[in-house]
Amino acid sequence: MPLSRPGQAARRLAAVALLLAAAVGCGDAGGLEGAGSTPTAEGPARLWPELTPASSPAFEIGEVNTEVVKGVKVPGDDIRRVDPVSIVRAEIDRNPGDYDGAKAPYRETKREMADCAKGPGHGKCPVLRPYYRDLTGDGHDDLTLGFPLLPGKTTAVRVYTVEKHRLVQVMGWEDALSGVELAGRSLVIRSPSEVAGYEYRLQWTWDRDQRAMLLTHDEMLRTGPRKAPRHPSGSSPTGSPSGSPSGSPSVSPSGSPSGSPSGSPAPSASASSSAFPPVSSSASGG
C-alpha cells in the first residue's frame, strides 16, 4: 500500500537521521565545505542616458542580402537539379568589373572556370563541392555554395533557395576562411584574426520575416595555443602523432569526423582557397 504524505515525511526524516549519524561516525569525510565568499552581482550600468536614441543606422552593411539569380532555371523547383557551375557563371556575368580584364581583382577565378566542364571539384574548377540542407524550414533542400576569389585568399560563400519557381540568393559573404559549418538552420563561418590566438566566428540564421539569412552572431573568440595531451608514458598513443594538439574534432567535407570526440570543431591554422572548409556531417553533398 502506498504511504500517505505523513508516512512519506516520517521515512524521509528517519533516512536523514541515519545519514547524519553515519557522517559523524566517519569524521569529516564527505562533509560539506564552504566555497568562500560569493562576489556581489552587479547589474548593467547605462551610460549617457541623456543621449537621444538613434532612429536610423549610421552605416549600410547589407543586413538583408537577397537577389533573384537571373538566367538560371530550377527544373521542377528542385535545387539539386540546378548546375552549381551555372550559378557561379551567372554571378561572374553580373559583375564584369570584378572578373573581366587583366586588372580585375578576381580575374583568375573566371579564367579557371574554363576547367569546370566536369563539374565542381574537378581539375582547376574553382567551384567547390555544393552542400544541401533545408535551412529555410520549408521541407525542401537549400544550397550552400563556395568558390575562391582568385588570385586572392578569400572565398565567396553563398546560400540559395527556391521561391516562386526562381533561384534566390539569401546570403552572401566573402572572407578568408578557417572553417564553415551548418548547424540547424544556421551557417557558421570561422575566419582567422589578426590577433594571435583569436578567431572571428560569424553566424547567419534564416529569418522567415525577412526571407533571408541574417547575421545573428558576430564574435571574436579565443582559440589560444593548444597544449599537447598528457600521457602516463610521456609518449603519444598508438596512431596519433607526438605533440598533436588536443581538442575538438574537425569534420571533413565527406562528413567523417576526426580527432577527439569533444564539442566544437577545432580551428584550422590557416585559410584555404582551394577546398571548401569543414561542413557538419548532417549536410549532404552534391
Side-chain angles (χ1 to χ4, degrees):
M1 177 181 294
L3 290 174
S4 62
R5 291 184 182 274
Q8 291 175 345
R11 283 204 170 185
R12 290 195 186 100
L13 289 173
V16 170
L18 288 174
L19 289 173
L20 289 175
V24 172
C26 296
D28 292 335
L32 297 177
E33 296 182 1
S37 60
T38 302
T40 304
E42 295 184 7
R46 183 184 176 188
L47 306 185
W48 307 303
E50 68 276 8
L51 292 179
T52 303
S55 58
S56 61
F59 307 101
E60 175 63 42
I61 61 174
E63 290 93 341
V64 181
N65 187 354
T66 62
E67 182 179 3
V68 175
V69 181
K70 297 180 180 179
V72 178
K73 296 183 179 180
V74 187
D77 288 347
D78 184 357
I79 203 167
R80 285 179 173 266
R81 297 175 62 185
V82 180
D83 178 16
V85 173
S86 68
I87 298 175
V88 178
R89 290 190 190 280
E91 177 165 338
I92 292 175
D93 291 342
R94 292 195 307 271
N95 302 277
D98 291 335
Y99 297 94
D100 288 338
K103 296 183 178 180
Y106 313 136
R107 57 193 177 276
E108 290 188 17
T109 296
K110 181 177 181 179
R111 186 179 300 121
E112 294 190 0
M113 289 295 292
D115 205 25
C116 290
K118 295 183 179 180
H122 291 83
K124 293 184 179 181
C125 179
V127 183
L128 304 178
R129 174 186 175 184
Y131 286 87
Y132 299 90
R133 176 187 279 193
D134 179 11
L135 295 173
T136 62
D138 62 358
H140 300 283
D141 280 338
D142 302 298
L143 168 62
T144 301
L145 193 59
F147 56 97
L149 300 173
L150 304 172
K153 296 183 179 180
T154 60
T155 301
V157 179
R158 308 284 187 258
V159 176
Y160 303 91
T161 191
V162 178
E163 289 185 0
K164 299 179 180 179
H165 317 295
R166 302 177 301 176
L167 185 69
V168 180
Q169 179 182 309
V170 294
M171 177 268 178
W173 189 253
E174 298 89 32
D175 207 342
L177 306 182
S178 56
V180 180
E181 291 108 25
L182 293 173
R185 294 180 185 172
S186 296
L187 175 79
V188 181
I189 293 180
R190 295 169 26 236
S191 300
S193 165
E194 66 275 10
V195 181
Y198 289 82
E199 71 173 8
Y200 295 112
R201 198 169 300 179
L202 286 72
Q203 175 178 321
W204 282 263
T205 304
W206 174 253
D207 185 280
R208 63 180 182 180
D209 294 326
Q210 299 297 327
R211 308 295 300 170
M213 302 284 288
L214 300 185
L215 181 58
T216 51
H217 292 82
D218 184 351
E219 304 173 292
M220 186 177 186
L221 300 179
R222 179 172 178 82
T223 56
R226 296 182 179 272
K227 297 181 180 180
R230 295 180 179 178
H231 303 290
S233 62
S235 60
S236 300
T238 303
S240 63
S242 176
S244 60
S246 62
S248 307
S250 61
V251 182
S252 66
S254 61
S256 58
S258 62
S260 60
S262 57
S264 59
S268 305
S270 62
S272 170
S273 61
S274 60
F276 205 54
V279 179
S280 66
S281 58
S282 58
S284 57

